[in-house]
Amino acid sequence: MEGTAPHDSVSYPSLLMWHWYFLAWAAGLWGARYFIPSLAALGSIVFFYVLTRHLARKLPEQSLSSPKKNVTQNVARLCILFVSFVLGLQIATATLAQRPFDISQPDSLPQFILNKKYVQVTGVVREVQTSPDRRIKFILTDASYTKDDVTTPITGDVVWTWANRKDAWNKQQKAANALKNGQERSSSAKQALITANPTIARLRPMVGETVSIRAKLLPIVGFRNKSSWNSGDYWQNRGVFWRIWTWGDKAIPTRSGDVSLPTLWREKMRFNVSQQLEDLVHTDAIQKLSSVLGATALSNALDVIPALLFGDKYNFPSKRYAQLSRASLSHSFALSGMHLAIVALSISFLFTLCVRRASVYELISRPKLFALGILPAAAIYVWIGGGSPSLVRAFIMLCCWCILLLFNRPRVFMDGLFWALAFMTIVNPLIIFDLRLHLSGLAIVAMIIALPMLTVVKSYLLPNKTTRFQRIKRAAFDTFFLSIAIQLVLLPVTVWNFNELSLWNVLNIIWLPLLGMFIMPILLFGLVAACMSMALPAFVPFSETLFAIAATPVATLFAFLDDMDKAGFLTPVIMKRPHWVEIFAWYGCIISALVWWKIEGRELIPEIYNSLSDGAPTWETKLFTAAGLPLVGGDIEQRETEPPLMMRSIDEPNRNSGKSVSPSVRKESCNISRWASRMAFSCFILLLFIPDALHAYRIEHRTRLNVLDVGQGQSLLLTFPNNKRMLIDGGGFASRSFDVGRAIVVPCITRQHDSSLQWVMSTHPDTDHLRGLFHPVGYADVKGYFATDAIPRGWNKKQLRQALKRAGLKKSILKAGDVLTISENLELEVLHPSKNSELKGNNKSLVLRLVKHNGTERKGLALLTGDIELKGIQELMDSKADLSAEVLILPHHGSASSYSPAFYDAVSPKVAVASCGFLNKFKFPSQDVINELHRKGIQTLVTAEKGEVELYLE
């Protein structure tokens, strides 16, 4: 069989010189927080630039250039690369605003903050964010606080979280109705607010409004654990350093200022749609659907409609959102570039249907016409979505692509991505740290890599027929292939940030086309009808019908996921979080594989293809061959005028000059490039396993104690020399929407380690010690669960029972006198409570002592005391047990109720650690405790000041 192999028409876009400059600039920006990784990135950029420049020398027109000129030019370009890196580093460092307070010295804060007194906080709303479980975040800029009639400006912005704002409005409305009907003659601030401007009062505070609210102003600190995400850094990148919190109608803001007309129109649209959805719940049609699909699934489906239209996740339950994450579908319910792409494709389809005259396409090409039509529609959708950062970034990318297309520029996809990223990082350099930008940018890179591969694979595996069934099959294959490619490219970033891997990416094959081709168009039509109903109420039934139709497949999906969850199919796979070196090596492997295949793939692919084409290869042979064609295309530094992947002879004459190139020069250059690319690929493969190898072969003779920063709570992680581990308590908050175990504890236990835990212990069932254990017990590889005979209450009891059932574990009860053998010379003694103890509550906490022995002598390494107070301490000391230890975890977070100088003498530690939250309301640790420890010469460490504390027990 003769002819051209199907890969001959496939080419990757090449990198222009300014692309390399941008990559160096981005590496410099990254260095403001992560300097060593940024240096490694710069080294890789320089290496691949030199390698690809060397590849370009294989072209005749490059080889015939002056060698001296080439050297001078390349040196100058390398200098510009270094200058770009340094410039990015300096700009990002200067832009990264410093905290206006010192975390290690909380006493430097104003006294009203230390005492948590209420002040009047005033600011202009800069941004509005909605979160699941009925929470809204307002970022206030130009903020100030008023105390004793003195107004003081606040350095940095403030984030105001308003929970259950809807309930507050309902109570306001009832009060207003009562006032209107004469049922209540008294006047309050809330009623005055409503009667002053009832139209605005029922809407949320909007961007541009000035709000004033009485609340406690507190600094943002976050959870400072090693190699983990920190909310304090996240808000610092956005210039936000302070927070206030209000609940329901306990604090109603005073609102003033002018709101732009587009902002007011959008908020009215959102409010009108929300009201229609609330009315829709009580209709007969929805009640009948509820009996079939389930009331919870259908109610959640109606709650998700504002999220799909406006990005409003206010009524969306966090439990459902976590379920969607485990099913690998959560990205489809958060407004992003994917939704903007759906709108763009819908507009393109409408243009195809409406514009059919050939004369139109004689004036302007179809792609350019689509570009002109897509941009206004996309801008409207960004406005409807509230201008969320994800939509704005996607719109910038879309604008760059359309502009390049209109100006007849080649390589629109790659160049548009670089232009968009360059624009965004110049306007806001700290956007380089935004996780959403990482995910969207890498997803586009994955598509750029995968699309040529997809063309090749389909040409081998799928028949090129035009039947309807074949088109559907090819579309499903495209979705699946691109989804897998995106997952592979995003894998290290996803695992590092989310700690979980979903095995149900295949659901996107069905769900994404259904969402894009059916649900979103119907919702947009329903939105138009809802807007018209604001002037013509006759459109209300029409819009409600469209919303009900769109909600039906969503409710079906939720019901299906509920069944999968009950059957245990949606159990997340907890992954080991990679070291930054492994992330760096992963992407180095991808890039070096591209370069390597550019050099050798162009020689191997035709041979493989022609050998298969000589006979009649089976489908299995085609699949095997396609698996060996992952990266094909033209040279990375291929010139625009050269046809992609032309298999030219090394002694082919140069068409431009009429001269020929020495075969020996071409051969030598090709050999050097080939071996350099092979070495790069091999080195990155080895680098991928070096952190694990060092961790596996590193002999550690000491026990490591990590006191995790879980805020106002306690969680201890012990790692023993035999690599066995023990988790004691998990922290926890009263809020059910924030899972400390999933967000903090599990990411800490999987730092360069699998999720295995030989022992998990709960010292007592208080929320600030217990709730963070539910997720590790339920989903990590836990061998045993130990606790006292105290039983949790209410929701905690239910969640613990479900976690133990999911893990197939039973609670083992510990009492004084029990001993757990860790290794040959390590034991964990249980000192308290005794079997007949009549103490309750905190005083019945487990007290554990880690002991090292050599057969004759026993040495206490650490004493872990839970929340015991004076009664428990007295009973412990009366038992005459040996309490000595090098490290003491202070009882009850160092509270005054556990202050006992005699106890400190009995333990005689070198170091005492208090686990507590920054400026916690209990004022832990007590100053009396700190002073006494200091007087005794005992070093004291507090997680509120230091973050995570790591100690090695000799």
Side-chain angles (χ1 to χ4, degrees):
M1 173 179 168
E2 296 181 3
T4 304
H7 67 276
D8 281 354
S9 59
V10 180
S11 175
Y12 286 116
S14 59
L15 290 182
L16 301 178
M17 198 59 229
W18 77 269
H19 293 162
W20 295 102
Y21 297 151
F22 168 76
L23 292 175
W25 154 267
L29 295 177
W30 189 255
R33 281 199 181 276
Y34 312 101
F35 183 68
I36 300 300
S38 71
L39 286 181
L42 177 63
S44 297
I45 291 169
V46 172
F47 170 78
F48 284 115
Y49 167 74
V50 173
L51 180 59
T52 51
R53 283 287 115 183
H54 191 77
L55 282 176
R57 289 177 57 194
K58 294 191 297 179
L59 297 176
E61 49 270 38
Q62 288 286 340
S63 300
L64 294 174
S65 303
S66 170
K68 184 176 180 180
K69 181 180 179 181
N70 284 339
V71 171
T72 304
Q73 187 181 58
N74 287 330
V75 170
R77 289 174 173 176
L78 287 175
C79 291
I80 297 176
L81 280 176
F82 284 107
V83 170
S84 301
F85 174 83
V86 174
L87 184 63
L89 179 63
Q90 293 295 326
I91 289 179
T93 303
T95 308
L96 193 63
Q98 298 300 316
R99 287 188 176 94
F101 53 88
D102 188 353
I103 298 176
S104 62
Q105 296 180 355
D107 293 340
S108 61
L109 291 167
Q111 196 62 37
F112 77 89
I113 294 179
L114 297 176
N115 296 332
K116 294 193 172 181
K117 298 295 184 181
Y118 284 90
V119 293
Q120 196 73 22
V121 179
T122 305
V124 180
V125 179
R126 171 166 67 90
E127 185 179 337
V128 180
Q129 300 177 357
T130 54
S131 302
D133 293 337
R134 304 162 71 88
R135 282 169 171 74
I136 314 176
K137 289 184 174 66
F138 304 91
I139 298 179
L140 307 181
T141 189
D142 297 331
S144 61
Y145 69 88
T146 302
K147 183 179 181 296
D148 299 331
D149 296 328
V150 177
T151 300
T152 306
I154 297 175
T155 303
D157 292 347
V158 180
V159 57
W160 163 35
T161 302
W162 193 358
N164 275 2
R165 191 260 171 191
K166 184 178 179 181
D167 292 345
W169 159 245
N170 290 338
K171 292 182 179 180
Q172 291 179 59
Q173 199 171 33
K174 290 179 182 178
N177 292 334
L179 183 65
K180 181 178 180 181
N181 297 330
Q183 299 174 5
E184 186 177 345
R185 297 297 180 181
S186 62
S187 176
S188 65
K190 294 186 296 183
Q191 296 163 352
L193 174 64
I194 295 173
T195 54
N197 196 342
T199 303
I200 297 295
R202 68 176 185 172
L203 304 177
R204 298 170 180 169
M206 291 164 277
V207 174
E209 275 192 272
T210 299
V211 297
S212 182
I213 188 166
R214 183 171 174 80
K216 297 177 182 178
L217 182 67
L218 297 173
I220 296 177
V221 176
F223 304 98
R224 290 160 294 155
N225 295 291
K226 184 176 61 176
S227 300
S228 297
W229 183 82
N230 183 4
S231 59
D233 292 341
Y234 167 79
W235 287 112
Q236 183 184 10
N237 293 337
R238 308 186 66 182
V240 180
F241 300 102
W242 309 91
R243 61 183 175 91
I244 57 177
W245 173 279
T246 58
W247 180 275
D249 65 335
K250 292 183 179 180
I252 304 298
T254 302
R255 299 161 61 178
S256 61
D258 296 328
V259 179
S260 64
L261 198 56
T263 302
L264 182 60
W265 283 353
R266 178 192 174 273
E267 180 61 17
K268 286 184 176 180
M269 278 197 313
R270 185 206 59 79
F271 184 81
N272 186 49
V273 170
S274 299
Q275 291 294 107
Q276 291 191 14
L277 292 174
E278 289 183 7
D279 297 338
L280 187 60
V281 174
H282 306 291
T283 60
D284 294 337
I286 294 298
Q287 294 298 325
K288 291 179 180 179
L289 281 175
S290 298
S291 61
V292 176
L293 299 174
T296 303
L298 190 57
S299 174
N300 292 162
L302 292 174
D303 290 338
V304 86
I305 288 178
L308 290 173
L309 286 175
F310 305 102
D312 181 12
K313 295 178 283 189
Y314 179 79
N315 288 316
F316 203 22
S318 59
K319 184 178 179 180
R320 179 69 69 184
Y321 198 78
Q323 184 188 64
L324 290 169
S325 297
R326 297 196 300 271
S328 192
L329 296 174
S330 59
H331 62 282
S332 63
F333 291 90
L335 290 190
S336 62
M338 183 188 70
H339 298 81
L340 198 66
I342 290 173
V343 172
L345 292 175
S346 301
I347 297 299
S348 300
F349 179 71
L350 290 176
F351 266 82
T352 303
L353 294 179
C354 299
V355 183
R356 292 180 172 272
R357 297 183 59 181
S359 58
V360 175
Y361 298 117
E362 292 178 357
L363 299 175
I364 185 173
S365 66
R366 185 188 298 265
K368 291 183 179 180
L369 182 63
F370 287 171
L372 292 174
I374 285 171
L375 286 179
I380 294 174
Y381 186 70
V382 171
W383 166 68
I384 293 174
S388 67
S390 298
L391 279 182
V392 171
R393 286 192 293 268
F395 181 70
I396 292 173
M397 292 182 187
L398 182 63
C399 288
C400 291
W401 290 328
C402 290
I403 291 172
L404 292 175
L405 184 64
L406 291 173
F407 282 91
N408 299 316
R409 290 292 300 274
R411 307 178 314 176
V412 169
F413 210 22
M414 175 68 85
D415 274 2
L417 174 64
F418 272 91
W419 277 112
L421 293 176
F423 175 79
M424 288 185 281
T425 53
I426 291 173
V427 172
N428 179 18
L430 298 184
I431 202 174
I432 196 73
F433 301 111
D434 196 317
L435 175 61
R436 293 167 296 186
L437 179 65
H438 303 164
L439 296 177
S440 58
L442 288 174
I444 294 174
V445 171
M447 288 189 286
I448 293 173
I449 296 174
L451 285 174
M453 298 162 51
L454 179 61
T455 304
V456 174
V457 173
K458 284 198 301 183
S459 66
Y460 276 95
L461 298 181
L462 299 179
N464 191 16
K465 298 180 180 179
T466 57
T467 63
R468 181 175 300 177
F469 176 73
Q470 290 296 335
R471 286 198 297 268
I472 294 175
K473 187 165 69 171
R474 293 171 75 89
F477 184 81
D478 291 349
T479 304
F480 176 73
F481 190 91
L482 290 176
S483 297
I484 294 297
I486 292 173
Q487 292 294 324
L488 288 175
V489 173
L490 292 179
L491 182 61
V493 175
T494 303
V495 172
W496 195 94
N497 287 280
F498 303 110
N499 217 159
E500 297 176 358
L501 182 65
S502 173
L503 302 178
W504 292 100
N505 192 61
V506 68
L507 294 176
N508 287 280
I509 298 176
I510 300 174
W511 174 247
L512 293 183
L514 181 63
L515 177 68
M517 300 174 64
F518 180 76
I519 298 174
M520 287 300 296
I522 290 179
L523 285 179
L524 292 174
F525 281 120
L527 177 62
V528 173
C531 293
M532 297 179 68
S533 68
M534 296 170 66
L536 301 172
F539 280 91
V540 171
F542 182 60
S543 61
E544 290 183 350
T545 301
L546 291 174
F547 290 145
I549 294 173
T552 301
V554 179
T556 304
L557 171 69
F558 289 167
F560 174 68
L561 293 180
D562 288 339
D563 293 337
M564 292 182 65
D565 213 355
K566 291 178 182 177
F569 292 127
L570 289 183
T571 301
V573 179
I574 296 180
M575 303 289 291
K576 184 198 74 171
R577 295 178 64 236
H579 191 273
W580 73 264
V581 173
E582 295 172 294
I583 300 176
F584 169 74
W586 179 271
Y587 292 111
C589 287
I590 294 176
I591 298 172
S592 57
L594 280 168
V595 177
W596 173 74
W597 202 270
K598 296 293 185 180
I599 300 171
E600 302 197 52
R602 64 189 304 168
E603 300 173 0
L604 297 177
I605 295 174
E607 296 178 4
I608 297 174
Y609 179 78
N610 292 331
S611 64
L612 288 174
S613 301
D614 290 341
T618 62
W619 189 90
E620 291 81 1
T621 308
K622 287 185 175 183
L623 181 61
F624 177 79
T625 305
L629 303 178
L631 301 165
V632 297
D635 288 324
I636 288 183
E637 290 293 337
Q638 178 178 284
R639 294 199 164 216
E640 297 295 337
T641 57
E642 181 185 4
L645 270 180
M646 292 295 293
M647 310 299 296
R648 303 192 317 185
S649 170
I650 58 175
D651 55 356
E652 181 180 354
N654 186 345
R655 296 182 180 86
N656 296 331
S657 63
K659 300 178 181 180
S660 62
V661 184
S662 169
S664 61
V665 174
R666 286 293 303 277
K667 185 175 181 179
E668 179 184 359
S669 177
C670 186
N671 287 335
I672 294 175
S673 300
R674 178 183 289 112
W675 282 105
S677 61
R678 287 178 180 178
M679 288 296 296
F681 185 70
S682 301
C683 289
F684 280 116
I685 289 289
L686 290 175
L687 192 61
L688 195 61
F689 297 99
I690 283 180
D692 280 344
L694 292 177
H695 184 268
Y697 289 100
R698 181 175 53 194
I699 300 177
E700 183 59 69
H701 299 287
R702 299 175 297 177
T703 297
R704 187 173 71 245
L705 169 62
N706 292 84
V707 184
L708 306 183
D709 183 5
V710 292
Q712 181 48 46
Q714 182 170 293
S715 182
L716 312 175
L717 178 63
L718 283 161
T719 305
F720 304 108
N722 57 6
N723 209 31
K724 293 182 178 180
R725 300 188 302 167
M726 176 184 294
L727 178 66
I728 303 175
D729 291 335
F733 293 94
S735 172
R736 299 179 185 179
S737 61
F738 180 69
D739 188 345
V740 174
R742 184 182 183 187
I744 300 174
V745 177
V746 169
C748 286
I749 68 176
T750 54
R751 289 180 300 210
Q752 291 186 267
H753 202 290
D754 57 31
S755 62
S756 61
L757 292 167
Q758 277 65 36
W759 305 273
V760 171
M761 295 189 178
S762 172
T763 58
H764 65 297
D766 278 5
T767 293
D768 63 332
H769 288 249
L770 179 64
R771 281 195 179 176
L773 293 180
F774 299 154
H775 192 77
V777 170
Y779 298 110
D781 182 14
V782 177
K783 301 299 188 296
Y785 177 76
F786 303 84
T788 64
D789 57 2
I791 300 175
R793 297 180 180 179
W795 189 78
N796 288 349
K797 178 180 179 180
K798 177 183 176 182
Q799 293 299 311
L800 179 60
R801 184 172 61 247
Q802 290 179 354
L804 291 173
K805 181 180 178 181
R806 189 181 296 114
L809 298 173
K810 292 184 178 180
K811 181 173 78 170
S812 299
I813 297 177
L814 296 176
K815 59 184 181 301
D818 292 338
V819 177
L820 296 180
T821 301
I822 307 299
S823 64
E824 294 181 358
N825 60 350
L826 277 179
E827 291 179 348
L828 188 71
E829 300 175 342
V830 181
L831 305 181
H832 183 78
S834 62
K835 183 178 181 179
N836 301 321
S837 176
E838 297 180 356
L839 298 177
K840 297 180 180 179
N842 286 343
N843 284 305
K844 205 174 183 180
S845 298
L846 279 177
V847 177
L848 308 169
R849 180 171 178 256
L850 183 65
V851 177
K852 183 177 182 180
H853 63 87
N854 57 11
T856 57
E857 296 181 357
R858 300 176 66 84
K859 178 182 179 182
L861 299 181
L863 186 68
L864 319 174
T865 56
D867 271 1
I868 59 168
E869 298 175 320
L870 288 178
K871 289 183 179 180
I873 292 174
Q874 188 60 49
E875 183 174 292
L876 179 63
M877 296 183 68
D878 290 343
S879 68
K880 305 302 181 181
D882 185 3
L883 303 180
S884 62
E886 291 186 348
V887 175
L888 169 65
I889 303 299
L890 287 172
H892 200 195
H893 317 280
S895 71
S897 63
S898 301
Y899 171 68
S900 174
F903 176 68
Y904 306 146
D905 290 334
V907 180
S908 186
K910 296 179 181 178
V911 179
V913 182
S915 177
C916 54
F918 189 78
L919 295 184
N920 61 86
K921 64 180 180 180
F922 308 105
K923 297 185 178 180
F924 295 154
S926 167
Q927 193 60 45
D928 291 338
V929 173
I930 297 298
N931 292 339
E932 181 65 22
L933 293 172
H934 181 70
R935 189 181 68 82
K936 294 180 181 296
I938 301 171
Q939 182 184 3
T940 306
L941 303 174
V942 183
T943 58
E945 301 173 2
K946 304 292 184 180
E948 178 185 0
V949 174
E950 183 176 78
L951 299 171
Y952 285 90
L953 309 180
E954 297 293 344

